[in-house]
Amino acid sequence: MKVRRFNPMRVLVVEDSKHLRTAVAKALKRSGYAVDTAADGEEGAWLARESTFDVVVLDIMLPKKDGLEVLDELRRDGIETPVLLLTARNSVDDRVRGLRSGADDYLGKPFELAEFLARVDVLCRRRYGRRSAVVEAGDLRVDTNAKVARRGGQDLDLTAREYALLELLVMQPGRVLSRTRIEEHLYDGRGSRVSNVVDSTVYHLRRKLGPDGREIVRTRRGQGYVFEEARP
Amino acid sequence: MKSIRGRITIWMLTGLALLWLAGGTAIYLTSRAAMLAQIDTEIQGLSRQVRAQSRGPGGGRGRRHEDAGPVHSAVFPEHTYYQVWNLDGEVLLRSEELGGQDLPRLDASAELAAFATVELRPGTRVRLAATHFAAGRAGAGGRREGRGQGGMNEPVLVAVARSLEEFEAESRKLAWGLGLIGLLAAAGAWLLLSLALRHGLRPLRQLGEAVATVDASSLDVRFGNTDMPRELRPICARLDGVMDRLQQSFERERRFSADLAHELRTPIAELQVMTELSLKWPEERTEQQIHDIRGIATRMRGVVDTLLQLASLEGEGTESLQDSVVLADLIREAWLPCAGLAAKRDLEVRIEWPEDGSMPGNPELWRHVLGNLLANAAEYATAGGRIIVEAGEHSLRVLNTAEGLHPDQVGRMFERFWRADSSRTGAVHCGLGLSLASACAEAMGLHLTATLRQGPNEAPELVMELGDRGA
């Protein structure tokens, strides 16, 4: 069963043009991403440090601090979040300079929205070492493009949030994700948070995964949750 | 001949050749004259010997030449001839080698021998000396022939001639020798000159090679350095000046291209994303979005219109734009849209332009200039500061408080798309206003300048002054 797009990935958009910032954020949200925005380089740098993002979309010509300066600072501080540079400067020199500064991708303005969303998607997958849109773990199959999860050949009937949680977990198998981390991915920076939504979502997800749901989505007390490979 | 090396070589070699020719000729002629003088001395000596020998034992009065024996051949070298006449012209003695031919008889005085070069026979040139010997005079010793000496004591004319064949051969050898040395010297000079030119012109060649490598990516190259020869330093200084201007110009063009790209691409990107959003998710469509799209299109049109206007002004001459324009009403008209913003920003405004004050130009262009200058002042003057419009000496001035403006920014204010905030944030101004004002000023034969000065209370003030180009 297809679910409404709800991408657990969190994206920061740093762009000074209000119209573009708003439109891009809207498009990302409609694609299921949790989105935060910043209108200048200083705010963008601060947000990128303070929160965990899966992708940063960064304009170059920004007020207060330009995009390349922000990128440079993030890399020096050891922040390896994938960065997509978005800019009107489209010459080869500018592209090379941007990529050499530590950007992971470069998209010139104007751009096709579909291409932009696809590039963001690729960067998100790459963040978790995934080249394919389909993640398989045992007999569990998660198609991150179609936003569909199947187990044993059967579609899992998941809500948007349950799917988002499952996708977040299967992208990082064996890695403990804290409740806070999960919350950040399920909500963008300005969304309201319900205190036990993570526990509730985990509970429902386990039930839908099957009798061994607790074995697949394990609890690590005091730490968070971890995804273990589903056995047939 | 367009080669410095070639020209110098030709001039030098020609000069050297001419000098050698002159010198060689002088040497040749001098040597010939010396050789000839030596021959003259020799044949003159032979003349005395002829005279002495011709007297012989018992020789003297009444002795005829057929009685006189030949002059001893040991005295005379080969190809040398002699002949003796008395004053009546009677031949007294003649060498057998002449074969009965007479030597030319030259006029010689008792004091001075006569010399001449004559052609004895076809192809035989001789040097002839004629010496007059007085009676009783003997050889060089000057002893008077007396009784008992015998011989011819009458005054006689003795002519001695010597073949110049050897002399000519020696002269030819000399000429050839000089010619050969000249050629060798020329070859040596050419070689030395080539080396000297090669070495001497090397800095010029290196400068040319360095200039040839300059392209758009290497405009930071400079040519002046202390190793440069003195003669090239002024050229290098000029080249460096040209490179500075070229680099600045390229940098301006690069900035302009980047800024233009941003000014046009960003609104296009905005339009594209907003319309794609609306098409992909129609439920996101709002009326505000439509207004925003229209606003973006309007802004783009403004940028394009301004750029086209700038392009047309650059090609405009000033002849048709030199009417006298009374500015008071235009100033008020231009200030009207800015008044609200100025009040909001708490700016003190004084318009001190005289009512009848006029400036050359064109009303339409003045509107553009005043509109941009006053809008700029209202937007960017320090909040709480002041704006003044006043008359200068044959100029109009707009000044405003400008804290935070750096002197190095002032020089770039009239560049297209320049803004103090390099991010280009904001939908109102794209950085073409002052460019347009400047272009309008130039089209009217005026010049717009910007300077930063200290205003009252030490606050920096930006002064925009529009006056004559020559002022």
Side-chain angles (χ1 to χ4, degrees), chain B residues 131-152:
Chain B
T131 313
H132 180 270
F133 290 102
R137 287 186 71 183
R143 281 179 303 149
R144 191 176 168 84
E145 295 278 331
R147 194 180 298 179
Q149 293 286 325
M152 295 183 289

Side-chain angles (χ1 to χ4, degrees), chain A residues 16-17 30 63 88 109 113, chain B residues 265 270 276 281 283 423 425:
Chain A
D16 60 324
S17 158
R30 291 293 299 208
K109 294 175 187 173
L113 195 55
Chain B
R265 286 190 177 134
E270 289 168 356
E276 283 188 30
W281 293 289
E283 60 273 23
S423 72
T425 299

Side-chain angles (χ1 to χ4, degrees), chain B residues 22 67 75 93 111 121 158 163 165 200 207 214 266 281 288 302 317 322 336 368 377 403:
Chain B
D67 295 329
V75 172
L93 211 56
E111 294 85 24
R121 302 180 189 103
V158 177
S163 170
E165 194 180 319
L207 180 62
V214 171
T266 300
W281 293 289
Q288 182 56 45
Q322 284 288 318
L336 216 52
H368 284 302
E403 286 176 16

Side-chain angles (χ1 to χ4, degrees), chain A residues 134-143 148-152 156 166:
Chain A
V134 175
V135 182
E136 291 189 351
D139 67 342
L140 179 64
R141 193 169 185 280
V142 179
D143 185 341
V148 168
R150 295 167 67 88
R151 187 165 183 203
L156 298 176
L166 177 62

Side-chain angles (χ1 to χ4, degrees), chain B residues 15 42 95 111 113 175 219 224 245 250 335 382 399 411-412 418 422 439 455:
Chain B
E42 283 175 14
S95 58
E111 294 85 24
L219 294 176
R245 287 193 293 280
F250 263 75
W335 180 247
T382 311
L399 54 90
R412 292 185 50 199
W418 182 84
S422 62

Side-chain angles (χ1 to χ4, degrees), chain A:
Chain A
M1 170 181 136
K2 283 197 178 178
V3 297
R4 180 174 177 273
R5 280 183 180 269
F6 197 103
N7 198 316
M9 302 304 157
R10 197 161 171 218
V11 179
L12 172 64
V13 176
V14 188
E15 165 64 59
D16 60 324
S17 158
K18 181 181 152 219
H19 296 304
L20 196 55
R21 184 175 68 246
T22 310
V24 162
K26 217 175 263 188
L28 285 167
K29 282 178 186 171
R30 291 293 299 208
S31 301
Y33 293 92
V35 182
D36 287 293
T37 60
D40 63 70
E42 272 184 9
E43 189 189 356
W46 181 82
L47 279 173
R49 276 197 212 92
E50 292 299 309
S51 305
T52 308
F53 293 97
D54 295 294
V55 173
V56 174
V57 176
L58 186 59
D59 186 17
I60 288 182
M61 292 175 87
L62 292 168
K64 296 186 186 173
K65 195 180 279 187
D66 80 39
L68 292 180
E69 221 179 306
V70 171
L71 180 58
D72 196 44
E73 276 181 21
L74 295 180
R75 294 303 185 235
R76 266 192 282 121
D77 292 345
I79 295 170
E80 299 294 327
T81 309
V83 170
L84 169 64
L85 282 177
L86 201 67
T87 180
R89 285 193 174 176
N90 231 349
S91 71
V92 171
D93 284 346
D94 289 322
R95 288 172 180 263
V96 168
R97 199 159 66 102
L99 291 168
R100 283 195 174 148
S101 300
D104 296 85
D105 202 358
Y106 194 109
L107 187 60
K109 294 175 187 173
F111 51 85
E112 300 283 341
L113 195 55
E115 184 184 355
F116 168 74
L117 293 171
R119 285 177 186 261
V120 170
D121 195 36
V122 162
L123 288 178
C124 286
R125 275 194 268 122
R126 204 186 291 166
R127 175 143 168 83
Y128 299 107
R130 300 280 175 192
R131 289 194 174 278
S132 168
V134 175
V135 182
E136 291 189 351
D139 67 342
L140 179 64
R141 193 169 185 280
V142 179
D143 185 341
T144 60
N145 267 348
K147 306 298 178 194
V148 168
R150 295 167 67 88
R151 187 165 183 203
Q154 300 285 325
D155 282 352
L156 298 176
D157 183 16
L158 303 174
T159 65
R161 193 164 281 122
E162 286 161 7
Y163 172 82
L165 175 59
L166 177 62
E167 189 180 293
L168 180 65
L169 290 168
V170 300
M171 293 280 258
Q172 304 172 76
R175 188 176 165 189
V176 177
L177 300 178
S178 66
R179 186 177 280 105
T180 309
R181 178 83 195 277
I182 295 170
E183 258 180 18
E184 283 176 352
H185 275 78
L186 295 185
Y187 294 99
D188 58 35
R190 291 168 185 79
S192 63
R193 298 180 185 197
V194 178
S195 59
N196 69 337
V197 69
V198 173
D199 296 329
S200 166
T201 309
V202 168
Y203 169 77
H204 289 293
L205 178 62
R206 278 169 170 166
R207 270 194 352 154
K208 290 179 183 179
L209 282 170
D212 59 345
R214 291 189 76 87
E215 307 301 316
I216 297 170
V217 181
R218 285 184 175 271
T219 303
R220 293 282 172 86
R221 288 211 180 279
Q223 292 178 19
Y225 300 96
V226 62
F227 177 82
E228 303 280 0
E229 190 166 302
R231 291 185 189 79

